[in-house]
Amino acid sequence: MSHHNIKVNDREYVVQEAYEWPLAVYLFFGGLAGALVTIGVFLYYMGLNETVVVVAILSAIISMAIAGIVLVLFELLRPFAAYRSLVNWKHSGISWDVILVSLVIGGGLLFVLPLLSDQIGTLGGITTFLSSVQWLLGGLAVLAGILFPIISGGLLSSFNSVPLWHSPALPVVFFLTSFSAGFSYLLLVSSAYFSEGMKKGFWGFIFGLSLLLILISLSYLETIKNGPVEAQLGLGILKQSKPFLYGFVLVGLVVPAILGGWLFFGSYVSGIAFIGALSVIIGGFVLRHYILKAGVHTYPWPY
Amino acid sequence: MARYGMVMDLRTCVACDACSAACSIENQTPFWDNKFRTKVLDIEVGTYPEANRQFVPTICMHCEEPACVEVCPSEASFVTKDGFVLVDYEKCMGCRACMAACPYDARYVYTQENVAKAKQLYSEELSQHLVPHVDKCTFCYDRVGQGMDPACVSTCPEKSRVFGDLDDPNSEVAKLVSAGVAKPLRPELGTKPKVFYIL
C-alpha cells in the first residue's frame, strides 16, 4: 500500500488506509437506525400515534439496509462471503456488530408488521402471532439499537495501534451522536405528528446530549494533548480539516447546543428546528468520517 | 511443538531486495502491483550532520497475541498449533479489519485484478490465489513443514535473516533473543511478536 508518511523526531507515522468513507456511512446509518428503532419502540409503548412509530422504524430499516449494508458489502473484497461475519462472535467485535445490525433490522421489521395489518392484512395469521410477541421483538430491537453504536465505537477503540481511536470516549461519543441524530431525524420527517410539547421534549434530549458531547469532546482533547504522538498527529489532521471544523465542531457541536437550548427553553420556531435537526445529522456523519481519516499509527521502525 | 521465530540483523542488510523477490516467486505475491509480503524500507535516521541511511526489512511478526486474529469476524485469520498466523483465503471476505488492527502494517489486499493477473501469469491450475483476500507472510508454512527455511531466509546473501525454533535453546534465534541482542518491535502493545531485530 502507498502511504503518506509523516516524520517526527526520527520516527515515521502513517494514516491508516483500511477504513474509508463507506465504513463511516455504515457506522452512521447503523447508529441512526439503532436509535430510531429504539425511540420508535419507546414512543409506541408511550401510546404515541402509530404512524410515527412506523415511520421511525421503517425509515431506520431502509436507511440501514440500503445505504449502510449495501455500501459496506460493496467495499468487501468478497461480498457474498459476508455471511461468514456471523461466525466468530466469541472473539470478534465485528461479528457482534453484524449480529446487532441484523437484530435492529429484523426485530424492527417484525415489530412494525402488526402495526401495518390494516394495510397488509394478517398475512395468514403471521401479524397476529407477531403482535403476541411484540414486546419481545421490541425489546430485542431496543437492546440491539442501544448496543450497536456502543459496540462499533468500542471496536475502533480496541485498536491500540491507533491511539486516537484507543479511548473509552469513542463508544460514548458514537452513542450520543446516534441518539441525537435519531431524535433529529424524527423531527425532520414526522414533525407534523408531534405536539409542540413533544417536540420541545425531543429538543430537550438533543440539548442534553449535545452538552454531554461537548464535555466528553473537551476531555477527550485534553487526554490527547498529553497522549502519544500518533494521537496528537491525528488531532493535527482534524484541526487542519476545514470540513471537520465546520462540519462537526461548528455544525455538529456548537449549533445543536445553542439551537437546542433555544428550542427547549424558549419559543419553538419550525425553521430553526429544521436547521438544528439538519446540523445534528450532518455533524454525526462528519465526525465518523474524519475520525477514520485521522487514524494515525506508527510505521514500525525498530527505534 | 516448535515455536518458530525470525531475527533480522539490520547491521548486515544491504537492501538488495532478494528477500522480496524470492518471496514473490515462492508465494506468487502481486509484485506487478508493488505488493510484497516482505519488503525492505530505506529510511533516513538522525539529522545532518549525523544523518544516516538505514535498511529495515518488514514482515508479518506472527504474534503470539495477534490483534488481526482477534478482530477477524469470519475466522479467516487463525493461528496454527505451531504458532504460524495464517489466512484461510476461502473464509476471508476482505473486510480489512485485520489490516487496521495490525500494528506492523504487515497485510495488504490481494484484489480481484491481482487474482486475474496471477491466473494469467501462473495459469489457473498453478495459481495459489484463486479468490480475492487479505494477504500476508506465512513464514513459508509449506517449506518449513518440509524442513526448509522460509524463501527469504534461504535467499538472503548477507545472512541477515535467521529462522528457527525459539524454544530450542541451541538454535541461533533463541540465543540471539535470550541474550537480548535481538528485540521485538513495539512490545508495549502486548502482541508478543516472534520476529526480532538486531539494531
CSV table of all heavy atoms in Angstrom, one decimal, chain A residues 23 41 77 93-94 115 141 154 156 175 180 249 255 284 297:
chain,number,residue,atom,x,y,z
A,23,LEU,N,-17.2,2.9,5.3
A,23,LEU,CA,-17.4,2.5,6.7
A,23,LEU,C,-18.0,3.6,7.6
A,23,LEU,O,-18.9,3.3,8.4
A,23,LEU,CB,-16.1,2.0,7.3
A,23,LEU,CG,-16.3,1.3,8.6
A,23,LEU,CD1,-16.8,-0.1,8.5
A,23,LEU,CD2,-15.1,1.4,9.5
A,41,VAL,N,-39.9,2.3,19.3
A,41,VAL,CA,-40.5,1.3,20.2
A,41,VAL,C,-40.9,2.0,21.5
A,41,VAL,O,-42.1,1.8,22.0
A,41,VAL,CB,-39.5,0.2,20.5
A,41,VAL,CG1,-40.0,-0.7,21.7
A,41,VAL,CG2,-39.2,-0.6,19.3
A,77,LEU,N,-14.0,-7.4,-0.3
A,77,LEU,CA,-13.4,-8.0,-1.4
A,77,LEU,C,-14.3,-9.1,-2.0
A,77,LEU,O,-14.4,-9.3,-3.2
A,77,LEU,CB,-12.1,-8.6,-1.1
A,77,LEU,CG,-11.0,-7.6,-0.7
A,77,LEU,CD1,-9.8,-8.4,-0.1
A,77,LEU,CD2,-10.5,-6.8,-1.9
A,93,GLY,N,-15.5,-8.4,17.7
A,93,GLY,CA,-16.4,-7.3,17.9
A,93,GLY,C,-17.2,-7.0,16.6
A,93,GLY,O,-18.4,-6.7,16.7
A,94,ILE,N,-16.6,-7.3,15.5
A,94,ILE,CA,-17.3,-7.0,14.2
A,94,ILE,C,-18.4,-8.0,14.1
A,94,ILE,O,-19.5,-7.6,13.6
A,94,ILE,CB,-16.3,-7.2,13.0
A,94,ILE,CG1,-15.2,-6.1,13.1
A,94,ILE,CG2,-17.0,-7.1,11.7
A,94,ILE,CD1,-14.1,-6.2,12.1
A,115,LEU,N,-48.4,-3.4,13.2
A,115,LEU,CA,-48.9,-2.1,13.1
A,115,LEU,C,-49.4,-1.7,11.7
A,115,LEU,O,-50.1,-0.8,11.5
A,115,LEU,CB,-47.9,-1.1,13.5
A,115,LEU,CG,-47.2,-1.3,14.9
A,115,LEU,CD1,-46.2,-0.2,15.2
A,115,LEU,CD2,-48.2,-1.4,16.0
A,141,ALA,N,-34.9,-5.5,19.7
A,141,ALA,CA,-34.5,-4.4,18.8
A,141,ALA,C,-34.0,-3.2,19.5
A,141,ALA,O,-33.0,-2.6,19.1
A,141,ALA,CB,-35.7,-4.0,17.9
A,154,GLY,N,-16.7,0.9,20.3
A,154,GLY,CA,-15.7,0.1,21.1
A,154,GLY,C,-14.8,-0.7,20.2
A,154,GLY,O,-13.6,-0.9,20.5
A,156,LEU,N,-13.6,0.3,17.2
A,156,LEU,CA,-12.5,1.2,16.8
A,156,LEU,C,-11.6,1.4,18.0
A,156,LEU,O,-10.3,1.5,17.9
A,156,LEU,CB,-13.0,2.5,16.3
A,156,LEU,CG,-13.7,2.5,14.9
A,156,LEU,CD1,-14.1,3.9,14.6
A,156,LEU,CD2,-12.7,1.9,13.9
A,175,PHE,N,-22.5,6.7,20.7
A,175,PHE,CA,-23.8,6.6,21.3
A,175,PHE,C,-24.6,7.9,21.3
A,175,PHE,O,-25.7,8.0,20.8
A,175,PHE,CB,-23.7,6.0,22.7
A,175,PHE,CG,-25.1,5.9,23.4
A,175,PHE,CD1,-25.9,4.9,23.1
A,175,PHE,CD2,-25.4,6.8,24.3
A,175,PHE,CE1,-27.2,4.8,23.7
A,175,PHE,CE2,-26.6,6.7,25.0
A,175,PHE,CZ,-27.5,5.7,24.7
A,180,SER,N,-28.8,11.6,19.2
A,180,SER,CA,-29.3,12.9,18.9
A,180,SER,C,-29.6,13.0,17.4
A,180,SER,O,-30.6,13.7,17.1
A,180,SER,CB,-28.2,14.0,19.3
A,180,SER,OG,-27.0,13.7,18.7
A,249,VAL,N,-17.3,20.5,14.5
A,249,VAL,CA,-17.2,21.3,15.7
A,249,VAL,C,-18.3,22.4,15.7
A,249,VAL,O,-19.0,22.6,16.7
A,249,VAL,CB,-15.8,22.0,15.7
A,249,VAL,CG1,-15.7,22.9,16.9
A,249,VAL,CG2,-14.7,20.9,15.8
A,255,VAL,N,-23.7,24.5,17.1
A,255,VAL,CA,-25.1,24.9,16.6
A,255,VAL,C,-26.2,24.1,17.3
A,255,VAL,O,-27.1,24.7,17.8
A,255,VAL,CB,-25.2,24.8,15.1
A,255,VAL,CG1,-26.6,24.9,14.6
A,255,VAL,CG2,-24.3,25.8,14.4
A,284,GLY,N,-23.0,14.3,12.9
A,284,GLY,CA,-22.8,12.9,13.2
A,284,GLY,C,-22.1,12.1,12.1
A,284,GLY,O,-21.2,11.3,12.4
A,297,HIS,N,-1.0,5.8,12.8
A,297,HIS,CA,-0.3,4.8,13.6
A,297,HIS,C,1.2,4.9,13.2
A,297,HIS,O,1.6,5.4,12.2
A,297,HIS,CB,-0.8,3.4,13.5
A,297,HIS,CG,-0.8,2.8,12.1
A,297,HIS,ND1,0.3,2.1,11.6
A,297,HIS,CD2,-1.7,2.9,11.1
A,297,HIS,CE1,0.1,1.7,10.4
A,297,HIS,NE2,-1.1,2.2,10.0
